[in-house]
Amino acid sequence: MQINTNIDAMTAGRSLLRSADDVGVSMARLSSGMRINSAKDDAAGMAISERLTAGVSGMNRAAKNVNDGISLLQVADGAASQLADNFQRIRELAVQAANGTYTTDDRRSIQGEVAALMKANADIIHGARFNNINLLDGSFRENFQVGDKVGQTISLAIPAVIPANQTQVKLVETPVMQVKAVGQVQGALATGSLVLNGAVVGASAAGINPGQNSFSAWAVARAINNANPPDITALAENKVTGTAGGVGAVQAGDLTINGISIGAFNGASTAAYAAAAAGAISGASGSTGVTASANGSVITLEAIDGRDISIGGSAAGSLGLAATMHHGTVTLTNTASIDADNLTIGGSNPGAAGFAGGIIPPQPTGATEMAVRAVGSGDPPIDLSTALSATNMLDFIDGKLDSINAMRSMLGATENRLAHAHDNLVNSVENASAARSRIRDTDYAAETMRLTRSQILQQAGTAMVAQANSLPNQALLLLRA
């Protein structure tokens, strides 16, 4: 029997501490309603639930964005509806003025009403605003963020169908515009790494020929074209230039292109050396996919399909070529026209294709076309002063009605799209919240049972510590003898 070290008391105390900790954990969970109150409760579960929380918060904000977008569209559509009503009345007046039974004074009265309606149209355009943003003057070209991830946007451009002022329509020389964006490929694309004009580009895949790697310009351009982004075409190119500094004979195999041995060549001068090397490289182009040309001492290697150009061998340095793998470039263009659209670049990693996210406007190509354009800041005046002029204005008024109706159709389709996006966001938030709840929230039935068990063990442990602490007193019985 020992009295200096009470092993029974230490054991009972350890069990008491454990049950006390369990009681504390259960009480924290029951009082907070959360199963995970700190990272030690469930490290992996905490990480997952935090990601779910970020997604839920982002989708809730996106749902509010969608509602704001729907409100904006409703304001624009309401104003456009009034414009359409005014032009319907203007057309009715034009048909009236075209009748030969009216005098000049009658048509002057009709013209006065038309002028008032056109001024009302100008007031409508000026007053059609959402959050002080003009909607119908042609300046609205924005993206609605309808998701919690990069690239989850809906683009909207509202044309200016009714300019505020009046002017004349003439044939004028108009510059041809085109978007041109060049990216130096840095690596392979994963699905969603690049989004062009709202189209998600899939993963870049390797081809069967040498140099057609998944991280080549050839593979990146192929993935972009397969995604068929609206009015965007990708072209892959790859050129490598070096300046020859060697002369003499090079044995077959001392230079390799895309893993293929190049035949022997010889040159007594640097220019002849570069020309001989270009001939040998082009001779193997059927296998390598790479051709070469020389201009004096400068040699240029080109893969016209944009595949990688991998250069190796001891002779590479004598041609001024770096013995490494050279990636090409991808050029994005749209159709050159006088009304070319912007290019919107997004995605989780557009830098893999050599691009930065953002909006790229079209630039003049240097060419021009004759096009019907308003010379000034608005539409031509509506002249109903004679029966002939009133008849001639009918086609113009019909065109304005068609433009307004087309714009309203676009606004309505976009509003429906936003409504579907909102429904999807609400459903996604519900499902993600349920998933997070299963990970993070307290199960009160199970936790209450654990608390009861821990409290009983705690009470029993307290009693056992007291019993164990009294055991050394029995040693006094031995001393009484």
Side-chain angles (χ1 to χ4, degrees):
M1 177 179 293
Q2 303 87 9
I3 62 173
N4 286 336
T5 303
N6 192 339
I7 301 300
D8 293 333
M10 293 172 64
T11 301
R14 175 167 50 83
S15 298
L16 178 59
L17 289 175
R18 186 187 306 116
S19 60
D21 288 341
D22 291 342
V23 168
V25 169
S26 294
M27 293 182 70
R29 289 175 175 174
L30 291 170
S31 61
S32 67
M34 297 175 63
R35 186 180 69 86
I36 303 174
N37 290 288
S38 64
K40 71 181 181 62
D41 291 336
D42 185 350
M46 183 206 67
I48 295 171
S49 66
E50 286 299 318
R51 283 194 292 270
L52 288 170
T53 298
V56 168
S57 300
M59 287 187 287
N60 279 326
R61 181 64 262 181
K64 295 177 183 177
N65 291 348
V66 169
N67 284 330
D68 290 342
I70 291 174
S71 299
L72 182 147
L73 290 169
Q74 289 172 342
V75 171
D77 183 56
S81 174
Q82 188 57 56
L83 290 176
D85 290 343
N86 287 352
F87 264 97
Q88 290 286 5
R89 176 57 181 166
I90 291 171
R91 191 183 192 284
E92 181 182 350
L93 293 172
V95 173
Q96 181 182 5
N99 191 19
T101 62
Y102 292 97
T103 66
T104 301
D105 289 339
D106 294 333
R107 292 192 178 91
R108 189 178 295 115
S109 299
I110 294 173
Q111 185 70 54
E113 184 177 350
V114 169
L117 288 169
M118 291 303 295
K119 290 179 181 179
N121 286 343
D123 293 338
I124 291 170
I125 294 167
H126 181 72
R129 295 168 176 259
F130 183 86
N131 193 28
N132 208 31
I133 300 172
N134 289 321
L135 301 181
L136 299 182
D137 65 350
S139 64
F140 189 86
R141 300 175 68 90
E142 299 292 344
N143 293 325
F144 298 134
Q145 183 70 34
V146 297
D148 66 318
K149 299 292 190 299
V150 174
Q152 292 181 334
T153 60
I154 293 178
S155 299
L156 177 64
I158 304 177
V161 292
I162 311 294
N165 300 316
Q166 294 185 344
T167 185
Q168 295 295 321
V169 173
K170 296 180 180 179
L171 274 173
V172 296
E173 199 170 26
T174 306
V176 176
M177 311 290 283
Q178 187 178 37
V179 165
K180 184 176 183 181
V182 180
Q184 178 68 49
V185 174
Q186 304 296 318
L189 292 179
T191 299
S193 293
L194 185 62
V195 178
L196 301 176
N197 285 347
V200 178
V201 178
S204 55
I208 61 174
N209 296 314
Q212 292 179 341
N213 306 303
S214 62
F215 43 80
S216 65
W218 172 87
V220 171
R222 187 164 176 254
I224 292 173
N225 290 328
N226 286 340
N228 195 25
D231 195 33
I232 294 297
T233 302
L235 174 66
E237 297 178 298
N238 196 358
K239 287 185 178 181
V240 180
T241 301
T243 302
V247 295
V250 173
Q251 302 299 316
D254 286 350
L255 179 66
T256 62
I257 302 295
N258 284 342
I260 306 299
S261 295
I262 303 302
F265 57 90
N266 187 10
S269 66
T270 55
Y273 189 77
I281 293 170
S282 295
S285 62
S287 300
T288 64
V290 178
T291 60
S293 61
N295 183 9
S297 300
V298 177
I299 183 171
T300 300
L301 280 61
E302 182 177 7
I304 59 173
D305 65 354
R307 71 181 67 188
D308 287 335
I309 300 177
S310 179
I311 303 173
S314 58
S318 65
L319 292 168
L321 300 172
T324 186
M325 181 175 291
H326 301 267
H327 300 313
T329 61
V330 173
T331 302
L332 302 177
T333 58
N334 60 3
T335 303
S337 72
I338 57 177
D339 298 312
D341 290 328
N342 294 334
L343 167 61
T344 301
I345 300 177
S348 60
N349 184 23
F355 300 108
I359 297 177
I360 299 178
Q363 300 296 326
T365 63
T368 59
E369 292 181 3
M370 297 301 294
V372 176
R373 285 290 184 265
V375 181
S377 60
D379 284 334
I382 295 178
D383 181 13
L384 305 184
S385 60
T386 67
L388 178 60
S389 63
T391 301
N392 292 336
M393 290 306 301
L394 286 175
D395 286 340
F396 171 76
I397 296 171
D398 286 341
K400 301 307 290 185
L401 281 170
D402 289 342
S403 297
I404 295 172
N405 293 335
M407 180 185 69
R408 293 190 66 195
S409 296
M410 180 267 292
L411 294 175
T414 305
E415 184 176 344
N416 288 335
R417 184 179 176 186
L418 287 175
H420 292 310
H422 182 271
D423 291 343
N424 180 63
L425 285 168
V426 171
N427 184 59
S428 298
V429 166
E430 180 181 349
N431 292 331
S433 298
R436 180 181 61 177
S437 175
R438 285 189 286 270
I439 295 172
R440 192 156 190 170
D441 291 349
T442 298
D443 183 342
Y444 270 76
E447 201 60 48
T448 302
M449 289 188 294
R450 278 191 286 268
L451 175 62
T452 301
R453 174 182 176 275
S454 299
Q455 286 176 331
I456 293 172
L457 289 175
Q458 186 181 34
Q459 293 171 10
T462 302
M464 291 305 100
V465 168
Q467 291 291 333
N469 285 337
S470 66
L471 288 176
N473 292 334
Q474 297 178 6
L476 296 176
L477 297 176
L478 299 175
L479 297 175
R480 290 175 184 174

